[in-house]
Amino acid sequence: MTDQQRPRRRGQGELEALVLSALREARAPESAGWVQERLGGDLAYTTVITILTRLLAKNAVTRERAGRSFVWTPASDQAGLAAHRMRRVLDGESDREAVLASFVTSLQPDDERLLRELLGRARAEGDA
């Protein structure tokens, strides 16, 4: 098989992002079959189930029984999922202070200002 005949290999997390995007567009919890159809049917049903199961393990989706199968729902919006990934990375590091310090010093001025505002709001809400 030549390179032109071989299907393009997807990047890490690309399938998960596609599945989550499809679920976010849904009006209600949906089945794996619905997700497969929504993505154009190029993926095998078992692949969709595998991706959904991985997302469940990462707390990115929830599922509930519907007959003999499950229906799936995204656990949070895109921002919530990004925050979850950031926490997971931070939790995997032994020197949290160094990681946070490096992150903060690499922020653009507008992002640093926004982060300070958000921390101030969170602190104020905690005091209320």
Side-chain angles (χ1 to χ4, degrees):
M1 186 181 281
T2 67
D3 285 342
Q4 290 184 355
Q5 293 173 329
R6 189 174 301 132
R8 180 183 73 82
R9 185 166 174 94
R10 291 180 175 92
Q12 182 179 9
E14 187 176 346
L15 285 177
E16 289 180 358
L18 289 171
V19 168
L20 281 170
S21 178
L23 285 174
R24 276 196 297 281
E25 293 172 7
R27 295 183 181 175
E30 291 291 352
S31 68
W34 181 90
V35 172
Q36 181 189 26
E37 287 177 26
R38 187 71 175 187
L39 297 178
D42 292 339
L43 296 176
Y45 179 80
T46 53
T47 301
V48 174
I49 290 292
T50 298
I51 294 165
L52 287 166
T53 303
R54 287 179 183 166
L55 290 169
L56 181 65
K58 295 177 180 181
N59 297 315
V61 298
T62 61
R63 71 178 181 189
E64 59 188 71
R65 181 79 57 192
R68 293 176 44 200
S69 188
F70 292 100
V71 290
W72 305 81
T73 306
S76 64
D77 61 8
Q78 190 67 23
L81 293 171
H84 177 74
R85 286 192 303 270
M86 292 168 68
R87 278 191 307 274
R88 226 177 44 235
V89 168
L90 184 60
D91 289 345
E93 296 297 324
S94 59
D95 190 349
R96 294 173 72 91
E97 183 177 348
V99 172
L100 286 170
S102 179
F103 175 74
V104 169
T105 58
S106 69
L107 291 174
Q108 297 294 319
D110 287 345
D111 291 334
E112 183 179 344
R113 180 190 46 74
L114 178 58
L115 181 57
R116 288 180 190 281
E117 287 176 15
L118 292 169
L119 289 169
R121 275 191 246 160
R123 191 172 299 120
E125 288 174 9
D127 292 342

